[in-house]
Amino acid sequence: MFQQSQWLSRSGAAEYLDVSPDTVERRAIPWKPESVEGRIRWKFLKLGDDTRQERRYYVADLESLLVVP
């Protein structure tokens, strides 16, 4: 069964929140073990043997920024 990743690219995070990639960058902070309100933690992750490390943004932090009316 397919499991959704806990990490998204900058463009994926922007699409998830329906904001610009620049907005994601302004809220981004390097990974810390504890969450920071209003911020999106990121890590450099390598997704495969022949790929380079890229910033990936933590989905739980993205979800905490969503406002549900």
Side-chain angles (χ1 to χ4, degrees):
M1 180 173 193
F2 177 75
Q3 182 178 3
Q4 182 178 353
S5 174
Q6 292 184 9
W7 301 93
L8 291 174
S9 65
R10 184 175 79 153
S11 61
E15 184 177 330
Y16 189 85
L17 294 175
D18 195 25
V19 298
S20 72
D22 289 339
T23 299
V24 172
E25 281 301 314
R26 284 192 298 274
R27 292 190 173 262
I29 60 172
W31 180 260
K32 297 179 178 196
E34 65 283 339
S35 65
V36 177
E37 186 175 344
R39 297 297 181 168
I40 306 165
R41 294 173 288 173
W42 62 267
K43 283 185 178 184
F44 278 114
L45 298 177
K46 188 173 180 172
L47 301 180
D49 291 337
D50 296 328
T51 62
R52 60 188 172 116
Q53 289 187 342
E54 294 185 24
R55 274 190 184 192
R56 297 295 171 176
Y57 299 85
Y58 191 49
V59 170
D61 291 346
L62 299 170
E63 290 175 347
S64 73
L65 295 175
L66 293 174
V67 177
V68 179

